[in-house]
């Protein structure tokens, strides 16, 4: 897995996503399924800079965050001094105690670029869940996303945060029809007093999935799907799946 959002990229990501995402709404969305399934302990994978962590802790919930980026975790810890964060890889992690719910947020599944990555991740989730545990995760829908980027090779997003206008210009290129892989190149600018300055650039190879693919991965890794939700985010058409582990 690539190094994600290290150094100054973590701070830029944090600033832009304050405008992109309504974190109160995001918390309510995930917490609904957590409460519906009587989950008392929660692990968030892709916890980033701790915006959801803050809300889980404010509601007195037993929460742990896991992220691949140490720079993101550093910001999260500043924001949530009394919250537990782990630097780790979703494909291979071991919690001290199993949890009732694991949520993978922010389309972090996109960084699972091989079938082995996906299978290893679901195996880790299974092993770290209690008997009645659930998983909730989102993924970008390949059937809608690939035609979209083929028609819109440059995609621009803007965000205003603390008086600064941030601009992200994204370029997408399909690289493999086998695993629906795309290269994502992004340039980040600030626009202050009509002066546009490049502040960072970034590159990732990511994967998007069909719903049938993801259903099969879950079946092969002993998960039973409870619910599938078609959910539009600020930029992507996604599906959210809620599944529970099968016990034998």
């Amino acid at each position: 897995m690539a190094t994600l959002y290290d150094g100054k990229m973590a701070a830029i990501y944090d600033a832009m996503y304050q405008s992109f995402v309504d974190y109160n709404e995001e918390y309510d969305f995930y917490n609904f399924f957590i409460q519906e399934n009587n989950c008392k302990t929660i692990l968030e994978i892709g916890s980033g800079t701790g915006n959801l962590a803050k809300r889980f802790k404010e509601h007195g919930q037993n929460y742990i965050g896991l992220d691949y980026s140490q720079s993101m975790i550093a910001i999260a810890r500043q924001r949530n001094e009394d919250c537990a964060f782990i630097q780790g890889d979703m494909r291979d992690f071991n919690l001290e105690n199993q949890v009732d719910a694991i949520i993978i947020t922010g389309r972090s599944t996109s960084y699972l670029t091989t079938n082995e990555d996906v299978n290893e991740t679901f195996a880790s989730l299974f092993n770290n869940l209690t008997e009645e545990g659930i998983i909730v995760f989102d993924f970008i829908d390949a059937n809608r996303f690939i035609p979209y980027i083929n028609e819109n090779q440059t995609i621009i997003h803007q965000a205003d945060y603390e008086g600064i206008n941030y601009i992200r210009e994204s370029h997408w290129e399909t690289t493999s029809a086998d695993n629906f892989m795309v290269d994502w190149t992004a340039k980040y600018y600030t626009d202050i007093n009509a002066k546009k300055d490049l502040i960072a650039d970034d590159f990732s190879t990511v994967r998007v999935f069909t719903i049938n693919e993801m259903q099969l991965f879950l079946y092969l890794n002993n998960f039973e799907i409870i619910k599938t939700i078609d959910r539009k985010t600020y930029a992507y058409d996604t599906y959210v799946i809620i599944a529970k582990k099968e016990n034998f």
Side-chain angles (χ1 to χ4, degrees):
M1 189 180 295
T3 301
L4 305 176
Y5 300 116
D6 273 353
K8 67 179 180 180
M9 278 304 306
I12 295 169
Y13 166 94
D14 184 59
M16 295 194 76
Y17 275 74
Q18 301 301 323
S19 295
F20 288 168
V21 178
D22 182 335
Y23 285 105
N24 290 325
E25 180 183 290
E26 200 77 351
Y27 167 79
D28 290 341
F29 178 83
Y30 286 102
N31 191 52
F32 175 83
F33 303 110
I34 289 167
Q35 299 304 320
E36 185 178 53
N37 290 277
N38 300 310
C39 300
K40 305 302 182 188
T41 52
I42 305 126
L43 172 71
E44 181 191 3
I45 294 176
S47 54
T49 55
N51 290 293
L52 283 184
K54 177 182 176 182
R55 285 146 176 93
F56 279 110
K57 293 303 288 186
E58 285 174 349
H59 288 83
Q61 291 164 281
N62 191 333
Y63 167 97
I64 302 169
L66 183 147
D67 203 276
Y68 195 73
S69 167
Q70 192 64 61
S71 298
M72 300 280 266
I73 288 176
I75 295 173
R77 285 176 174 156
Q78 290 176 355
R79 182 168 282 148
N80 306 277
E81 293 180 356
D82 60 344
C83 201
F85 293 98
I86 303 167
Q87 193 280 328
D89 189 326
M90 71 178 101
R91 298 169 300 181
D92 183 21
F93 67 95
N94 290 289
L95 301 177
E96 188 174 336
N97 297 298
Q98 292 177 319
V99 293
D100 300 326
I102 298 177
I103 62 176
I104 308 176
T105 56
R107 301 161 303 283
S108 298
T109 51
S110 299
Y111 297 103
L112 302 174
T113 56
T114 69
N115 290 351
E116 185 178 13
D117 288 340
V118 180
N119 287 320
E120 287 177 349
T121 295
F122 284 142
S124 288
L125 301 187
F126 190 95
N127 292 335
N128 285 280
L129 280 174
T130 56
E131 273 193 26
E132 301 299 319
I134 65 162
I135 58 174
V136 186
F137 66 94
D138 59 354
F139 62 93
I140 299 173
D141 175 29
N143 281 314
R144 289 174 287 185
F145 184 71
I146 290 177
Y148 176 72
I149 62 171
N150 284 341
E151 294 174 8
N152 301 273
Q153 300 253 320
T154 300
I155 301 169
I156 297 174
H157 294 107
Q158 296 193 56
D160 290 303
Y161 182 61
E162 294 186 343
I164 299 175
N165 183 37
Y166 293 90
I167 300 169
R168 181 176 72 188
E169 294 181 0
S170 298
H171 301 267
W172 301 86
E173 182 179 352
T174 306
T175 60
S176 169
D178 293 333
N179 283 356
F180 307 118
M181 305 277 285
V182 293
D183 283 346
W184 175 35
T185 304
K187 292 186 178 296
Y188 295 81
Y189 302 87
T190 55
D191 185 357
I192 303 172
N193 298 324
K195 186 175 185 296
K196 184 177 173 184
D197 290 317
L198 179 67
I199 54 174
D201 50 33
D202 195 19
F203 172 82
S204 296
T205 297
V206 298
R207 180 177 180 177
V208 295
F209 297 88
T210 68
I211 193 165
N212 288 337
E213 277 185 300
M214 199 58 83
Q215 289 168 337
L216 184 56
F217 278 125
L218 287 163
Y219 171 77
L220 292 173
N221 286 280
N222 303 312
F223 281 98
E224 177 187 347
I225 296 174
I226 301 172
K227 190 178 295 185
T228 302
I229 299 169
D230 189 343
R231 189 185 191 211
K232 176 71 176 176
T233 70
Y234 79 96
Y236 310 106
D237 290 307
T238 69
Y239 283 106
V240 178
I241 289 180
I242 302 93
K244 64 179 181 179
K245 66 188 289 187
E246 294 182 337
N247 293 290
F248 304 97

